[in-house]
Amino acid sequence: MPQARRGERFHYSGVTEGKTVDEFPIEWPEPGAVAMAIATARSSDERLSITPMTRTRSRIRTHDSILDTWGFEDGPTRRRTVLGTDITHLKVEGLGGRAEWSVQLVGPADLEELVDEREGTGDVVLAVRPEAPVEVVVHANSDGWGLRFVCGCWAGDECACERPKGLEWFPDSIYETGEAMATLVIPRPGLLVCDLQQPTDPWRLRLRPLGSED
């Protein structure tokens, strides 16, 4: 059974050999809040997947996998994403060969904040903490990429927070193909999740006042 790393309560790791399925309960860095998951895996020759699960007495749900690797990558595969508060378990499935994996959970209070401008490559999750609405300009280049806002109420898809007057119809996500620049309105504190196809795909995020064109 996978275990948290010694001295690292929210960091799980393990090794799969052959065809295996391990499912184990997880703890949350901040109870009641979402968490960023940093999933890493290296597979020798077969597929390995890491899938979030909801498993309670009254509800069972298999969510979209947060990482899949097939063993032909040059190095370890890494993905960053946000897990909703209804996740209770992680399922690690190996379909042959040998694979090493780890999943680290990070609470919103410990995430880096987008203050003005940042750039990088691959998936990224950043906190946005201004109380008043702001805009985020995103410039990215990937075969398929997206930027979405996760409200700080941490209700996820069940968020019922009222949007500020005049911003009711602004979308809370952007999805593009290839190189593109777009603007996302952020109504309140929360998280920005930027997903890209490859770890080398570039992105740039810039925070600016609402309605500015600088």
Side-chain angles (χ1 to χ4, degrees):
M1 177 67 67
Q3 299 289 333
R5 293 189 178 187
R6 187 179 182 89
E8 298 182 58
R9 183 178 172 188
F10 309 108
H11 198 170
Y12 305 88
S13 63
V15 177
T16 64
E17 296 277 1
K19 293 185 178 181
T20 60
V21 178
D22 286 312
E23 186 176 317
F24 57 95
I26 57 175
E27 293 185 272
W28 286 96
E30 295 180 39
V34 300
M36 176 180 71
I38 306 172
T40 305
R42 183 193 295 271
S43 177
S44 59
D45 55 6
E46 293 289 347
R47 179 173 176 261
L48 174 96
S49 67
I50 301 176
T51 305
M53 299 288 297
T54 299
R55 191 178 293 279
T56 67
R57 292 184 63 181
S58 59
R59 183 169 181 245
I60 297 176
R61 181 184 177 191
T62 301
H63 300 263
D64 293 336
S65 64
I66 59 175
L67 182 144
D68 287 279
T69 182
W70 281 267
F72 52 77
E73 293 89 351
D74 292 335
T77 302
R78 173 174 290 188
R79 300 292 293 181
R80 294 173 184 250
T81 192
V82 169
L83 299 184
T85 56
D86 60 336
I87 304 300
T88 61
H89 293 67
L90 289 177
K91 181 171 68 175
V92 179
E93 183 175 7
L95 298 181
R98 183 179 189 276
E100 302 174 6
W101 63 269
S102 73
V103 178
Q104 181 181 7
L105 302 179
V106 182
D110 293 323
L111 290 178
E112 294 186 58
E113 181 182 359
L114 178 63
V115 177
D116 41 34
E117 184 171 338
R118 294 179 67 95
E119 60 182 64
T121 59
D123 301 332
V124 65
V125 180
L126 298 170
V128 282
R129 299 192 172 106
E131 294 294 334
V134 292
E135 294 177 349
V136 172
V137 180
V138 54
H139 180 188
N141 191 355
S142 180
D143 286 343
W145 61 269
L147 179 70
R148 60 189 173 95
F149 170 68
V150 177
C151 181
C153 72
W154 311 135
D157 294 339
E158 304 299 321
C159 172
C161 294
E162 184 176 352
R163 280 182 166 263
K165 187 176 181 180
L167 303 180
E168 295 89 348
W169 306 111
F170 281 82
D172 58 7
S173 61
I174 294 169
Y175 295 98
E176 295 285 356
T177 300
E179 182 178 9
M181 181 182 292
T183 301
L184 187 67
V185 174
I186 308 301
R188 61 181 60 83
L191 302 180
L192 282 173
V193 183
C194 189
D195 298 310
L196 297 99
Q197 288 283 339
Q198 301 296 330
T200 55
D201 292 342
W203 54 265
R204 179 183 294 111
L205 298 170
R206 180 163 58 93
L207 196 70
R208 71 183 188 187
L210 184 67
S212 75
E213 297 291 340
D214 62 339

